[in-house]
Amino acid sequence: MYIVQAGFEYLVTILVTGSFLATITKHLGISDSLTGIIASFVSLGSTFQLLSLLLRKRRYKPLVVTLTVVNQLLFMLLYIVPLISGSKTLKTSLFVFLIFSAYTIFYLIAPKKTNILMSAVPDEQRGIFTADKEIVSLLAGMIFSFSMGAVFDHFVALGKLRTAFILAACVMCVLSAIQITSLVLVKEDVATAKSEKKAFSLQTLFRDKNILCIMVLFSFYYIITHSASPFFSTYMLGELGLNLKTISFLTILGSFSRVLISRFWGHYADRKSFASMFEKCLILMGIAFLFAAFATPQNGKIFFALYYIFHGAAMAGTNSALINLVYDYSKVETRSQSLAICQAIPGLVGFIATIAFGALVSSVQENGNRFLGMPIYAQQVASVITVLIIIATIIFVHTVIKKMKKQG
């Protein structure tokens, strides 16, 4: 049920991120910089994981299920906003409110939901299980992303984008229903919830040097993922002139790359460590952003294909590594609280990074796509800076994280 829940949650996520999100914002007349900031609400919303620390119950699943229903409904309404009558300002404000509320609720319950689901996974198998779970999600996502991209392109060609929005809302309704049903069928470990409630101490967690170091690592990673990437969708649709079907195909390349290497990373992490795996993945991510830095309208398809391939290979390990690093370096009874803290504050850092990069993107574009006197696209500048941040993160992992002692 965990694998099913994660798979259908991923399909919903596809429709509210990347090029699909950019299609809605473009229809609403929202600028590239604001679209990038909106895309990073996923980061700002994670700050609300701190509120999850106040949730201290004997059982968490009823609350998790209820708020998941609300969260999915808000996501679905994003596709309804372009259909309503009203001014551009009204629609933009409503859209921002809905996506902000959706991610706030999503992250409020995220640590508890993750702990409910992960509690059934033996510690010595977390690497390979996470890989298998991701493979299922990615295979489904490849087919789904390309199919929905083709559907959107079809209706755009017919001048019926509003029909595509209605269809997307209906599809999200079905996906959400299956996801919520699978979550209901997952059995909660009540004993784990009780031990968390007794062990809760915010002061103790903030005194834990291991947790603080992991929080810094999360901050580095959130800056990396929320600097250049949020502006790539509008870059591909605009300056590079790619359509949704092409972008969906490139996304599939990235997903296929993740599928091919996921189990390798899973076995590697179980055999070596999640810290070592994360370090290697960062190297691949740096290569990916180098390709993005050199992407132009002349070579956009090829260079962004290479970006997605290397980025996918990196993402096959980075996401699972971060969560499992929290599990490695925190006590069993404080895992969900540690996860909340390690994602909440870095989430705010990531959002601030997007605002800063959004200002950079707007500045370069307003200057006629020139930076320091050189003709260059704003997203290329952002990619180069991201590579430098990745190098700093690799140094931090090698000199600090890999030398810490596990506690779990």
Side-chain angles (χ1 to χ4, degrees), residues 244-255:
L244 276 175
K245 188 159 61 175
T246 300
I247 295 173
S248 294
F249 177 74
L250 294 178
T251 304
I252 287 174
L253 282 180
S255 297

Side-chain angles (χ1 to χ4, degrees), residues 51-121:
L51 296 178
S52 71
L53 298 176
L54 303 177
L55 301 177
R56 301 173 66 184
K57 295 177 173 293
R58 181 176 178 274
R59 295 183 67 237
Y60 293 106
K61 200 174 85 167
L63 178 64
V64 168
V65 172
T66 300
L67 292 183
T68 298
V69 172
V70 177
N71 159 256
Q72 297 295 291
L73 177 62
L74 291 173
F75 275 145
M76 185 180 68
L77 290 176
L78 294 177
Y79 280 94
I80 304 301
V81 173
L83 307 178
I84 65 175
S85 58
S87 64
K88 174 186 172 182
T89 302
L90 174 63
K91 290 183 178 181
T92 299
S93 299
L94 180 57
F95 184 86
V96 171
F97 171 77
L98 288 173
I99 196 168
F100 178 76
S101 300
Y103 277 118
T104 297
I105 294 173
F106 178 85
Y107 280 108
L108 173 64
I109 59 174
K112 304 302 181 186
K113 180 170 67 175
T114 299
N115 212 40
I116 289 172
L117 297 169
M118 284 291 287
S119 63
V121 184

